[in-house]
């Protein structure tokens, strides 16, 4: 089974930016809908952003224009650019993928998951 490996998480101050990456060796990456989810301690996992194979995107309501999801089909890598980070963005961030063309923020629809990368935002 192909792996999906996140990177880029770290501890930052409020207002700063981070860019998360998720790389895979999946050769048919361009056929996958991909997404980012996050989970804070004691909270349910929530959808952050998703992008379909046609480039259509959807974001969680809390994003409010601060984050951008993208993907590079040559590098088989997806990204999450996060700007104006807030302490409430502190969580473990996971990339996810499914062999379906349409975006979704429902985690149960995703078959492939990365191991997570921690983002901590201090005030």
């Amino acid at each position: 089974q192909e792996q999906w490996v996140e990177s880029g998480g770290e501890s930052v101050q409020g207002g700063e930016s981070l860019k998360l990456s998720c790389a895979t060796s999946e050769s048919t990456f361009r056929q996958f809908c991909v997404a980012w989810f996050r989970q804070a301690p004691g909270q349910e996992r929530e959808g952050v952003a998703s992008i379909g194979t046609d480039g259509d995107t959807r974001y969680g309501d809390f994003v409010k224009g601060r984050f951008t999801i993208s993907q590079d089909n040559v590098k088989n890598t997806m990204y999450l650019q996060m700007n104006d980070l807030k302490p409430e963005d502190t969580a473990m961030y996971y990339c996810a993928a499914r062999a379906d063309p349409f975006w979704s923020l429902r985690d149960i629809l995703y078959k492939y998951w990365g191991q997570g990368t921690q983002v901590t935002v201090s005030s």
Side-chain angles (χ1 to χ4, degrees):
Q1 183 172 335
E2 303 300 337
Q3 290 188 319
W4 301 76
V5 182
E6 302 101 331
S7 60
E10 60 181 86
S11 296
V12 297
Q13 295 285 325
E16 294 185 344
S17 298
L18 277 178
K19 188 173 185 177
L20 306 183
S21 301
C22 177
T24 180
S25 56
E26 172 58 57
S27 61
T28 59
F29 175 74
R30 65 180 65 247
Q31 299 177 16
F32 283 70
C33 160
V34 294
W36 289 94
F37 292 85
R38 71 183 189 183
Q39 188 168 22
Q43 298 187 22
E44 293 187 354
R45 186 162 55 192
E46 61 181 348
V48 178
S50 178
I51 184 168
T53 58
D54 61 355
D56 195 18
T57 57
R58 178 57 63 99
Y59 295 91
D61 291 341
F62 58 87
V63 171
K64 300 187 188 311
R66 300 180 296 131
F67 299 173
T68 302
I69 187 172
S70 61
Q71 62 186 103
D72 185 328
N73 291 332
V74 175
K75 296 182 178 180
N76 287 357
T77 302
M78 56 188 285
Y79 305 97
L80 184 67
Q81 176 67 47
M82 303 188 293
N83 299 326
D84 190 23
L85 283 162
K86 305 177 186 301
E88 51 265 39
D89 294 317
T90 295
M92 185 71 79
Y93 283 71
Y94 300 89
C95 65
R98 64 189 195 130
D100 188 284
F102 303 111
W103 60 260
S104 176
L105 294 179
R106 297 179 62 197
D107 57 356
I108 61 171
L109 297 179
Y110 288 83
K111 180 178 180 180
Y112 306 101
W113 291 84
Q115 82 289 349
T117 186
Q118 178 67 39
V119 173
T120 303
V121 185
S122 56
S123 57

